[in-house]
Amino acid sequence: MGRRRKRVATGDGVPSPRKEEKTPAPPRKEKKKKTDIGKVFINISIGLCIFSLIWFFYALYMRSSLARRVVTLHPSPRVLDANSSSPAVSPERYWGTYRPQVYFGMKTRSPRSVVTGLMWMRQFAEMDGNLRHTCEQGDHLLGYGWLMHDGVSFGVQEVHDREFTLTTEFVKRMGGDHGGDWTWRITAKQHSTASSAPVISLMFYAATDVQGSLQAHVEEKNRLSSVTGTSEELGNFKITFGKPTAGEGASGKYARYNYLQTKSPGLDKLTDIVKDSLNHKFTFSPSKGEKRSYFAMDSYKVTNHQNQQKDPKMESDFVVHQVTVQTPFQIEVLFESGSFRERPIQLVGSVLTDELEKRKLAFDEKFESSFGLQAKGFTSSKIEFAKAALSNMLGGMGYFFGQSVVQPAYNEHPVLYPEGPLFTAVPSRSFFPRGFLWDEGFHQLLISKWDTQLTQDVIAHWLDLINVEGWIPREQILDDEARSKVPSEFIVQHNENANPPTLFLALQELLEQLDAQPELSSSQTMIPFLRRLYPRLQIWFEWFNTTQAGPIANSYRWRGRDKDTNLFLNPKTLTSGLDDYPRASHPSAEERHVDLYCWMTLASGIMANVARILGEPHQVYENTHHALSNNDLLNKLHWSENLHAFSDYGNHTQAVSLQQEKVFVPPGQPRHQFPVARLVRSVRKAPKLQYVNALGYVSLFPFLLQILTPDSPKMEHILRDIQDPDRLWTPYGMRSLSRSDPLYMKRNTEHDAPYWRGAIWININYLAVRALHHYGSIEGPHKEKAATLYQELRTNLINNVYKQYMDTGYIWDQYNDSTGRGQGSHPFTGWSALTVLIMAEEY
């Protein structure tokens, strides 16, 4: 409808309007309405854009903040003082054999230590260039390991090569401000089966790690008589190389000498540098023998490629002394600290021999007082075996410094964890020469019986690595030397992944020692130690209790299972420590893991005990422990009536197998142009939520960690399964998975052999023996049966591990359940050394 226009008269009788007065235009209501709607729309759009931007940047900030938390250490005071490993605070532990990855070497407990070590090679052998340095299973040595090592001041090791044996001995002497002096003695003897006396080249070396300097002192043209050096940690020092003799007090022997002084781009490159410097132009010509050419170090030049890759400021001095001599012979190497000014007679020759004998006697006396094997009637041979097992644990301790590589859940790419030290035992010098979180708790069960202070030191180092969220990287790969031994896919650690908190087992042992002998000097340091440790234990426990929580109250679930269900017969759960042990066939958030439930039951009890000792509030931990210890709850969450065993729960089917995948090749096309057929998983029946009816180690955890009450009716089923040869019992120990299980000894992929699917593992067998001893010692309906099984299992384990050591020269990673033979990595004197505690009946 149109608007009516107003008429304006122009005659004389009508006054004309004043110019300043304007007739207001009629309001344009429809137009204004449209404008208002547009403005509202624009304002809303602007507001949404602003809100979206704010939310976007807030989300970025939160992701960045959460990612930073992963690499932020816990703010509580460190358990260890900054100088706790320094020679001023701990001089007796400053120097040590803290390089477990090499056959023989020493360093200090400091971030940039000068390192020393030994390489050797057999001359005129069928295989030229057989250089030995880092512990390698591929070297096929007949055996090697420490026969005696007190963890502090001395050690005796034997290395059995193919036609000769090297005995490496060291003794430390305290004095000065930098950890004192030490002396090595290397003795070489040919085997009786050798056709002739082998000629061996020993290569003693010293290398700095970025800071410090070394100077070679040469005499007689090519003989390196000594090395002098200086570093921030050591001040001035001197290393003197003795001449070879036929033995102590004997005359010298003919030898040829070579040396090398160069720069190293990293400690992980030392072997390659020596190999690249070898030349066959030198002549070995004893007075009573033929002249022969031998391999020796000639010269070494850093390649252009290395120059491009490495900052010259990051290079280090590297000096090597090579002596080539025919067996038998003996050589001594003396390290003298420049700050040791009032030194008595040098620690060489007969003085060294006397000191070694004193240390050996003291070791024997302490070993018997700690473990009592002689009083128990063990043969001298078995006692020597036990001494070697303990000594290899102590001699395999390492000091590492560096940064882990971690993958936060909130980051696209891995980042570096804060730099720090780790003093720890290692599972295997050849295969796993680094720290593993779940192994370490077992290691410390043995070490704590020998040296409580050492255990406190190790636990403190591990807990000082905890971040602000309460996470500890489960595998510690801290420097270039460590990374050189690890496949790249295993280097990165993921912050949502746990590992069994076995350090609570070691803490349980320390608390029992405190309760039994509070007057001991080691007990006097326990309360201050626990007080410093407590804030970190709190956040560690809380991290487990929240991040590893299960789908229903009081249940728990391991994170980090393999997600590619197409390739794995049963996706691995590396985080549990039991790798390929059968879990639910289809990983899901509905899973409940009985072993983790039991670890949390143990941990909550220890937390309550520590809090009570320190006078801290303990009711929350007490309540958690009381709830989890309730056998009715345990049965409700994890007891399978079908299997009559404790089980995991999840989305599961047993109807799985590995099958050759079908690759379609069009007619007439060459087969080699198409992918190679792989083994992939075939699922013949859809999974459903149910108990995972796998009978093995996981089924035993309520028994292993002594959560079951002595009168539990479930105990009868557990003892029956342990004793049944068709299930878990063998003459050599308890197998990891029932022989009647569908996945018993089945490969997990075409490349992954079975690992925890039948083999005998000593750490779990130790827990079984300990549990049988416990239930066989307290009143209950199953006391007699548990006591009988205890004696039988203990005897079987001791006899088999000892027999395999005598037959092969090694303690092994695992043992075959059909033959008892050692298999896997070796030497494995991590948790397999718990055999000593089984012999001593120390639980």
Side-chain angles (χ1 to χ4, degrees):
M1 182 175 178
R3 291 191 180 93
R4 190 175 292 173
R5 188 180 296 271
K6 190 175 183 180
R7 290 189 181 185
V8 179
T10 57
D12 294 336
V14 180
S16 61
R18 296 191 313 197
K19 290 183 180 179
E20 59 271 22
E21 291 182 2
K22 292 185 178 180
T23 303
R28 300 173 65 185
K29 293 181 180 179
E30 290 184 12
K31 189 172 183 181
K32 182 176 181 181
K33 187 176 180 181
K34 291 181 181 179
T35 303
D36 288 345
I37 293 174
K39 285 182 178 180
V40 169
F41 179 77
I42 291 171
N43 290 338
I44 290 174
S45 299
I46 292 173
L48 287 173
C49 288
I50 292 173
F51 178 78
S52 298
L53 284 172
I54 291 173
W55 180 257
F56 174 74
F57 285 113
Y58 175 75
L60 284 180
Y61 168 77
M62 288 303 297
R63 284 182 64 86
S64 175
S65 177
L66 290 170
R68 285 198 303 272
R69 285 174 61 82
V70 174
V71 292
T72 301
L73 294 179
H74 193 267
S76 67
R78 294 175 63 87
V79 184
L80 293 168
D81 295 331
N83 297 320
S84 63
S85 297
S86 70
V89 176
S90 184
E92 71 284 354
R93 296 193 196 278
Y94 191 54
W95 273 104
T97 52
Y98 304 137
R99 305 182 66 210
Q101 73 276 16
V102 300
Y103 289 114
F104 187 51
M106 291 176 66
K107 64 177 290 189
T108 60
R109 294 204 305 172
S110 55
R112 297 296 177 189
S113 172
V114 170
V115 302
T116 58
L118 170 68
M119 305 183 197
W120 75 90
M121 62 186 297
R122 164 81 190 277
Q123 298 286 354
F124 319 125
E126 294 179 4
M127 294 177 61
D128 290 336
N130 54 344
L131 186 67
R132 318 290 202 202
H133 179 214
T134 57
C135 301
E136 304 290 346
Q137 292 184 177
D139 286 343
H140 302 295
L141 298 184
L142 303 178
Y144 65 93
W146 296 99
L147 305 181
M148 289 182 167
H149 199 303
D150 65 357
V152 179
S153 65
F154 98 108
V156 179
Q157 178 183 226
E158 284 187 356
V159 182
H160 302 283
D161 213 323
R162 294 174 187 174
E163 292 189 325
F164 60 91
T165 292
L166 293 179
T167 302
T168 67
E169 301 168 292
F170 79 92
V171 171
K172 290 159 53 179
R173 175 194 275 169
M174 293 298 97
D177 302 324
H178 300 92
D181 299 346
W182 49 257
T183 302
W184 294 353
R185 175 180 285 169
I186 313 298
T187 305
K189 294 182 179 179
Q190 71 189 74
H191 295 166
S192 58
T193 55
S195 57
S196 60
V199 175
I200 306 169
S201 289
L202 299 185
M203 300 166 182
F204 301 96
Y205 67 82
T208 61
D209 188 5
V210 180
Q211 59 90 12
S213 61
L214 301 173
Q215 181 61 49
H217 300 273
V218 181
E219 63 181 33
E220 302 170 13
K221 190 177 179 180
N222 280 325
R223 192 180 102 77
L224 185 66
S225 60
S226 65
V227 172
T228 56
T230 185
S231 75
E232 292 177 17
E233 289 99 341
L234 288 174
N236 297 323
F237 59 88
K238 181 180 181 181
I239 304 174
T240 304
F241 304 104
K243 291 185 176 182
T245 67
E248 184 187 332
S251 59
K253 296 197 64 170
Y254 170 81
R256 287 299 308 271
Y257 299 99
N258 303 82
Y259 79 96
L260 180 68
Q261 182 169 21
T262 185
K263 294 288 185 180
S264 163
L267 296 180
D268 57 317
K269 304 297 183 185
L270 302 184
T271 306
D272 293 336
I273 291 173
V274 170
K275 281 183 176 180
D276 290 344
S277 74
L278 293 177
N279 195 314
H280 201 230
K281 69 180 183 181
F282 301 95
T283 303
F284 187 81
S285 54
S287 57
K288 298 180 180 179
E290 61 177 315
K291 294 183 178 181
R292 291 183 286 181
S293 297
Y294 73 98
F295 284 97
M297 298 177 301
D298 185 12
S299 63
Y300 178 81
K301 294 181 179 179
V302 179
T303 64
N304 291 332
H305 172 73
Q306 287 173 320
N307 278 330
Q308 293 170 3
Q309 297 295 319
K310 200 75 176 181
D311 182 351
K313 293 180 181 179
M314 300 299 289
E315 292 181 340
S316 305
D317 287 351
F318 181 37
V319 180
V320 191
H321 165 62
Q322 177 177 343
V323 53
T324 302
V325 61
Q326 190 170 36
T327 58
F329 64 84
Q330 189 174 93
I331 298 177
E332 293 176 355
V333 177
L334 172 64
F335 174 93
E336 294 176 299
S337 171
S339 62
F340 195 166
R341 295 183 178 85
E342 297 181 3
R343 180 182 292 108
I345 189 169
Q346 284 187 323
L347 190 60
V348 294
S350 61
V351 177
L352 174 62
T353 300
D354 292 344
E355 199 60 43
L356 274 169
E357 292 307 312
K358 290 179 186 176
R359 307 292 174 94
K360 290 177 183 178
L361 181 61
F363 177 85
D364 287 341
E365 291 175 350
K366 183 177 179 180
F367 187 86
E368 180 59 24
S369 68
S370 299
F371 303 107
L373 300 191
Q374 191 173 344
K376 286 183 175 294
F378 282 100
T379 64
S380 59
S381 178
K382 283 187 175 177
I383 293 173
E384 294 305 311
F385 151 75
K387 289 177 182 176
L390 170 70
S391 297
N392 275 293
M393 174 85 78
L394 295 169
M397 297 192 71
Y399 185 87
F400 309 94
F401 188 88
Q403 297 174 277
S404 292
V405 182
V406 302
Q407 177 63 69
Y410 326 101
N411 262 34
E412 184 179 354
H413 301 292
V415 294
L416 288 175
Y417 205 68
E419 197 172 48
L422 179 63
F423 182 48
T424 184
V426 304
S428 170
R429 291 170 61 190
S430 62
F431 210 74
F432 303 111
R434 53 193 178 276
F436 286 80
L437 182 54
W438 106 283
D439 292 64
E440 197 55 33
F442 290 108
H443 297 164
Q444 294 310 315
L445 289 173
L446 177 57
I447 291 175
S448 64
K449 297 291 188 183
W450 178 257
D451 189 337
T452 303
Q453 197 63 47
L454 194 57
T455 292
Q456 291 183 24
D457 203 358
V458 169
I459 292 175
H461 272 89
W462 274 99
L463 267 295
D464 274 342
L465 292 172
I466 201 165
N467 76 359
V468 70
E469 295 181 332
W471 175 68
I472 304 173
R474 67 186 186 89
E475 187 173 348
Q476 295 292 323
I477 312 165
L478 296 182
D479 53 30
D480 289 340
E481 276 193 289
R483 291 188 186 106
S484 68
K485 301 278 283 186
V486 183
S488 59
E489 63 267 26
F490 295 113
I491 288 177
V492 179
Q493 307 294 298
H494 297 264
N495 75 303
E496 68 272 20
N497 292 351
N499 226 194
T502 57
L503 291 180
F504 281 107
L505 285 173
L507 282 170
Q508 184 180 46
E509 171 61 30
L510 294 181
L511 294 178
E512 289 176 0
Q513 291 182 19
L514 175 64
D515 184 58
Q517 297 176 303
E519 73 284 353
L520 291 182
S521 59
S522 59
S523 297
Q524 301 301 312
T525 65
M526 188 66 68
I527 301 299
F529 166 70
L530 290 175
R531 196 167 295 285
R532 295 192 303 273
L533 199 66
Y534 186 64
R536 294 167 183 272
L537 289 177
Q538 285 182 296
I539 192 69
W540 195 33
F541 179 84
E542 186 61 26
W543 183 85
F544 268 98
N545 211 28
T546 53
T547 68
Q548 308 298 299
I552 61 177
N554 295 315
S555 68
Y556 295 91
R557 175 173 68 89
W558 295 111
R559 304 312 197 259
R561 292 196 64 191
D562 283 327
K563 297 175 182 177
D564 190 348
T565 56
N566 185 48
L567 293 180
F568 296 99
L569 181 62
N570 187 274
K572 295 194 296 292
T573 314
L574 293 174
T575 50
S576 73
L578 304 177
D579 297 19
D580 66 345
Y581 185 93
R583 306 279 183 170
S585 62
H586 290 67
S588 73
E590 298 302 313
E591 286 182 79
R592 307 196 297 259
H593 295 132
V594 63
D595 52 334
L596 182 52
Y597 176 100
C598 295
W599 284 120
M600 294 307 296
T601 307
L602 171 76
S604 60
I606 301 302
M607 287 300 299
N609 199 0
V610 172
R612 196 179 300 110
I613 290 171
L614 297 177
E616 297 284 346
H618 61 270
Q619 200 58 51
V620 172
Y621 301 120
E622 195 76 63
N623 292 343
T624 302
H625 183 65
H626 180 74
L628 296 178
S629 298
N630 186 327
N631 282 194
D632 291 337
L633 174 64
L634 172 65
N635 297 340
K636 178 183 177 182
L637 292 176
H638 290 292
W639 181 258
S640 168
E641 281 295 343
N642 182 38
L643 190 64
H644 291 295
F646 289 104
S647 301
D648 289 342
Y649 182 88
N651 195 28
H652 181 65
T653 176
Q654 288 188 327
V656 295
S657 60
L658 291 178
Q659 303 286 342
Q660 198 84 19
E661 72 176 338
K662 296 178 180 179
V663 178
F664 175 71
V665 180
Q669 297 295 319
R671 176 67 182 83
H672 68 270
Q673 292 183 358
F674 293 85
V676 176
R678 304 172 300 172
L679 280 179
V680 296
R681 186 167 79 164
S682 171
V683 181
R684 301 184 302 277
K685 185 178 180 181
K688 65 178 181 178
L689 290 175
Q690 59 178 318
Y691 286 111
V692 181
N693 289 326
L695 177 65
Y697 285 171
V698 165
S699 315
L700 302 181
F701 261 83
F703 163 78
L704 296 174
L705 296 184
Q706 302 171 27
I707 296 166
L708 289 180
T709 58
D711 59 351
S712 169
K714 313 304 183 189
M715 189 75 72
E716 179 182 355
H717 298 285
I718 288 175
L719 297 180
R720 177 205 66 198
D721 292 336
I722 290 175
Q723 195 177 26
D724 188 347
D726 289 329
R727 296 188 178 185
L728 302 180
W729 188 263
T730 82
Y732 318 108
M734 199 173 61
R735 62 169 62 92
S736 47
L737 186 64
S738 170
R739 195 160 63 176
S740 60
D741 191 273
L743 295 190
Y744 169 73
M745 295 308 293
K746 292 288 178 63
R747 301 183 71 87
N748 206 40
T749 72
E750 59 183 318
H751 304 296
D752 288 352
Y755 203 44
W756 291 83
R757 295 185 179 176
I760 297 165
W761 294 82
I762 301 304
N763 63 328
I764 305 298
N765 273 271
Y766 167 81
L767 292 178
V769 169
R770 189 183 77 147
L772 288 169
H773 182 268
H774 168 73
Y775 290 111
S777 304
I778 59 176
E779 290 304 319
H782 311 289
K783 177 179 179 180
E784 186 176 340
K785 187 171 185 179
T788 301
L789 280 176
Y790 165 73
Q791 294 295 344
E792 293 177 5
L793 182 58
R794 174 176 177 264
T795 300
N796 289 351
L797 288 165
I798 293 169
N799 288 344
N800 188 63
V801 176
Y802 168 73
K803 180 180 184 299
Q804 295 305 312
Y805 176 77
M806 298 303 292
D807 288 350
T808 66
Y810 293 107
I811 295 175
W812 293 78
D813 179 24
Q814 53 183 277
Y815 294 85
N816 187 282
D817 67 313
S818 298
T819 65
R821 286 192 60 82
Q823 58 190 29
S825 60
H826 57 279
F828 194 94
T829 41
W831 60 43
S832 293
L834 290 173
T835 308
V836 178
L837 293 185
I838 297 174
M839 295 171 73
E841 298 185 279
E842 290 283 352
Y843 309 115

